[in-house]
Amino acid sequence: MLRRLVLTSAASLAALGAAAPAAVAGGPLPIPLLAGTDSLTVTVKNSGNPMADGTFELKCGLRTAEGNHPKVQGACDRLEELAGEGRDPFAPVARGQMCTQQHGGAATAHITGTWRGQDVDAHFKRTDGCEIARWDTLKPVLPMARS
């Protein structure tokens, strides 16, 4: 019995060791490595709050939140919360989506970088109800905006 356990353990370790070079050579990476560090650049314009306008760096890791974003920890916590819900906060409004015709102000934002191992290049505005809701979902990554 002990011999079988030792042989099974050795075989498992050998299999894991063989898989590591594939990941380094461009093969698929395990999910925990993809979720290790998110790095985003958030550019906000015309929010109605001069302290919220500008370009900010945000780095969110397993145990760290850093950067010059005005609400670093809150922003990282919100992104983690959305990930836990399985939501993509950077997805555009679906084509053909019915949206209320309201105007939420001139604020715009552009977010680039990586999140959960995926490239991000997302634009945000507050030109209708769907876009306002999309913006509000990302607070405090995106600031409160005045109409």
Side-chain angles (χ1 to χ4, degrees):
M1 179 73 169
L2 181 59
R3 181 174 182 209
R4 182 181 295 163
L5 182 61
V6 170
L7 289 175
T8 303
S9 297
S12 297
L13 287 173
L16 287 172
V24 172
L29 295 175
I31 295 298
L33 292 179
L34 292 176
T37 302
D38 300 327
S39 180
L40 299 170
T41 300
V42 181
T43 302
V44 179
K45 296 180 182 176
N46 303 315
S47 70
N49 178 354
M51 299 298 290
D53 286 353
T55 299
F56 307 100
E57 299 299 322
L58 181 63
K59 291 184 190 268
C60 305
L62 294 174
R63 292 184 183 90
T64 61
E66 49 190 49
N68 66 343
H69 188 281
K71 297 189 177 184
V72 173
Q73 188 63 57
C76 288
D77 290 347
R78 180 63 179 143
L79 288 170
E80 185 62 29
E81 180 181 0
L82 292 167
E85 295 171 2
R87 296 172 64 184
D88 178 0
F90 307 108
V93 172
R95 241 178 238 260
Q97 177 72 38
M98 299 285 285
C99 303
T100 59
Q101 296 303 302
Q102 65 190 81
H103 187 69
T108 62
H110 184 206
I111 301 177
T112 58
T114 57
W115 183 71
R116 306 308 251 182
Q118 300 296 313
D119 290 336
V120 173
D121 186 2
H123 294 269
F124 295 82
K125 54 192 174 188
R126 298 179 57 83
T127 54
D128 62 38
C130 294
E131 293 290 351
I132 293 169
R134 185 170 169 250
W135 181 292
D136 289 349
T137 295
L138 266 180
K139 288 179 187 171
V141 177
L142 297 179
M144 295 286 293
R146 298 182 188 145
S147 303

